[in-house]
């Protein structure tokens, strides 16, 4: 009988040409998805010639987490796979950075994974994201108000550049075409004891409400194959995004000197609106913009300033944009409480609340 989990992992590894003697990191929480990933990767390591190491993050939030580490260590010992455990204070991170526990948990996980990858010179970090995770991610982004880039969802493979000058490392998702029910069946058939995090049922988290309320409703009332439809949408959006990003790079390049970014207003305004918006976002991102700095209203404000040749326009994210003699310059400024002009009236409005693209 063909195992869909094992088949998906093998196909992924073969298609991504794992270098000889490469070290791969399996991110394992202890849930069904990550355990299925671990056991599949462990079965293939000798045949495909890679070294395998497990990374697990202790979030410092549950009394049972110590027991989880003990059980995971025993499982890794049985497989002959070394385990690295990162002990993180997620509540402390949330308080220090003024973010939700969900966001702090993600920061802690990837920070730990990047540390382990750097320590062992890993080629890639493999996570247990499934097709169900992809569907949930797309719905969350659609509700927040995203563009084509955000509709690309979770990438099957992406080269990440970790902070603190660490070497780039690949993020691989070998199970992205596998359903969560299939990873659960994989573990049940092999008698694997999975660790269930109670937080996955907590309705305070938006992803859980999408998982337990919205997706079942859409399946029941609109499309029984909604998860596959959303995953297909992500595939199409990623391909379109790749082509459009390459076009934007080619038709309107910009340069940078000492933190000031420059481009020609005429070249930008000659583009179709879709490409103008992309160039504006690329300019803001290159200058260090993240989150709300890349939001729809901030991009529109930048384009309005160029179109109307503003001497100076302050943008969200502490950016100053100037247009003089057809040259557009953008630079980061220190002041945090600047006032922003209204594209329609030239007045300074209350901050807009439109959500950023994901």
């Amino acid at each position: 009988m063909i195992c869909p989990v094992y088949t998906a992992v093998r196909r992924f590894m073969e298609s991504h040409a794992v270098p000889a003697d490469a070290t791969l990191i399996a991110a394992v929480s202890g849930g069904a998805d990550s355990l299925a990933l671990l056991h599949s990767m462990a079965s293939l390591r000798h045949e495909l010639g890679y070294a395998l190491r497990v990374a697990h993050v202790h979030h410092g939030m549950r009394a049972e987490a110590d027991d989880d580490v003990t059980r995971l260590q025993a499982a890794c010992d049985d497989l002959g796979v070394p385990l690295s455990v990162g002990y993180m204070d997620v509540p402390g991170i949330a308080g220090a950075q003024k973010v939700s526990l969900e966001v702090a948990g993600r920061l802690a996980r990837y920070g730990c994974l990047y540390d382990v990858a750097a320590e062992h010179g890993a080629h890639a970090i493999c996570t247990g994201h499934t097709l169900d995770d992809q569907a949930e991610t797309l719905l969350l982004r659609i509700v927040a108000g995203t563009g084509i880039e955000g509709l690309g969802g979770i990438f099957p493979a992406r080269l990440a550049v970790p902070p603190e000058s660490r070497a780039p490392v690949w993020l691989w998702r070998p199970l992205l075409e596998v359903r969560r029910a299939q990873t659960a069946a994989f573990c049940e058939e092999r008698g694997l004891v999975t660790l269930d995090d109670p937080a996955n049922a907590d309705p305070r988290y938006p992803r859980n409400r999408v998982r337990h309320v919205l997706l079942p409703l859409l399946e029941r009332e609109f499309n029984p194959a909604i998860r596959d439809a959303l995953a297909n949408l992500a595939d199409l959006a990623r391909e379109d995004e790749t082509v459009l990003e390459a076009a934007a790079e080619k038709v309107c390049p910009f340069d940078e000197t000492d933190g000031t970014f420059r481009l020609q207003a005429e070249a930008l305004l000659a583009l179709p609106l879709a490409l103008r918006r992309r160039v504006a976002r690329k300019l803001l991102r290159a200058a260090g913009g993240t989150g709300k700095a890349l939001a729809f209203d901030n991009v529109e404000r930048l384009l309005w300033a160029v179109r109307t040749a503003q001497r100076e326009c302050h943008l969200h994210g502490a950016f100053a944009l100037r247009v003089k003699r057809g040259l557009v310059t953008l630079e980061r400024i220190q002041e945090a409480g600047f006032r922003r002009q209204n594209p329609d009236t030239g007045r300074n409005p209350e901050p807009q609340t439109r959500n950023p693209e994901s």
Side-chain angles (χ1 to χ4, degrees):
M1 182 176 179
I2 298 176
C3 173
V5 174
Y6 180 85
T7 299
V9 174
R10 171 186 280 280
R11 183 168 59 241
F12 184 96
M13 294 299 173
E14 291 177 341
S15 66
H16 286 79
V18 182
D21 300 322
T23 295
L24 303 183
I25 306 295
V28 180
S29 65
D33 299 339
S34 62
L35 280 181
L37 174 68
L38 168 59
H39 280 258
S40 296
M41 290 182 67
S43 297
L44 289 165
R45 61 186 155 156
H46 298 303
E47 178 185 346
L48 299 183
Y50 56 80
L52 179 62
R53 173 173 288 272
V54 169
H56 174 78
V57 182
H58 186 301
H59 291 81
M61 295 176 60
R62 295 166 46 242
E64 302 87 352
D66 290 336
D67 295 334
D68 293 348
V69 172
T70 300
R71 285 193 290 269
L72 185 55
Q73 181 66 70
C76 289
D77 290 344
D78 288 342
L79 291 170
V81 178
L83 169 67
S84 296
V85 180
Y87 292 87
M88 311 296 289
D89 178 12
V90 171
I93 295 173
Q97 301 199 21
K98 298 181 180 179
V99 296
S100 68
L101 286 174
E102 190 174 22
V103 171
R106 176 180 172 81
L107 292 173
R109 283 193 298 277
Y110 280 94
C112 173
L113 293 173
Y114 291 145
D115 285 343
V116 174
E119 180 181 356
H120 298 280
H123 176 73
I125 297 167
C126 301
T127 70
H129 290 90
T130 64
L131 184 145
D132 297 78
D133 292 305
Q134 183 74 286
E136 292 160 9
T137 296
L138 252 68
L139 285 176
L140 285 166
R141 293 183 178 182
I142 290 169
V143 170
T146 191
I148 294 178
E149 181 181 3
L151 288 178
I154 304 169
F155 278 56
R158 179 171 67 83
L159 188 63
V161 181
E164 301 175 6
S165 302
R166 286 174 289 193
V169 61
W170 283 98
L171 292 179
W172 285 353
R173 280 75 182 226
L175 299 181
L176 210 52
E177 296 180 359
V178 174
R179 296 292 295 269
R180 191 173 290 137
Q182 292 173 317
T183 65
F186 178 99
C187 293
E188 184 176 358
E189 289 166 3
R190 288 158 180 77
L192 303 180
V193 179
T194 61
L195 308 177
D196 296 318
D197 186 348
N200 290 333
D202 191 336
R204 290 177 299 175
Y205 297 122
R207 181 175 290 274
N208 289 340
R209 296 198 297 276
V210 168
R211 179 177 300 175
H212 300 298
V213 179
L214 182 54
L215 265 173
L217 172 66
L218 292 173
E219 282 180 320
R220 185 173 61 251
E221 300 291 341
F222 294 92
N223 182 359
I226 186 64
R227 298 169 199 262
D228 293 311
L230 289 167
N232 291 340
L233 173 60
D235 289 343
L236 293 171
R238 284 196 301 273
E239 293 300 322
D240 288 352
E241 178 67 16
T242 299
V243 173
L244 290 169
E245 278 291 289
E249 184 79 33
K250 181 178 180 180
V251 297
C252 191
F254 49 82
D255 58 58
E256 181 265 338
T257 305
D258 297 330
T260 299
F261 293 77
R262 300 175 179 85
L263 58 77
Q264 295 295 323
E266 183 178 2
L268 178 63
L269 296 176
L271 300 176
L273 179 56
L275 290 180
R276 287 204 303 272
R277 286 172 171 160
R278 287 179 181 280
V279 171
R281 279 176 55 84
K282 288 177 71 69
L283 184 65
L284 286 164
R285 185 182 285 113
T290 59
K292 291 183 179 180
L294 306 178
F296 179 86
D297 66 307
N298 215 41
V299 170
E300 295 301 289
R301 193 175 305 280
L302 185 154
L303 294 175
W304 163 81
V306 175
R307 188 173 64 250
T308 56
Q310 295 294 302
R311 289 184 177 180
E312 182 166 347
C313 175
H314 287 183
L315 302 171
H316 191 95
F319 291 103
L321 182 138
R322 301 176 181 88
V323 183
K324 185 177 181 180
R325 296 177 183 174
L327 182 67
V328 179
T329 63
L330 179 74
E331 62 181 339
R332 203 75 178 261
I333 54 180
Q334 297 302 316
E335 56 184 306
F338 59 82
R339 294 167 65 80
R340 298 184 295 162
Q341 293 177 315
N342 189 316
D344 299 319
T345 66
R347 298 173 184 170
N348 294 308
E350 292 297 318
Q352 298 188 29
T353 57
R354 192 181 295 229
N355 285 316
E357 292 196 12
S358 301

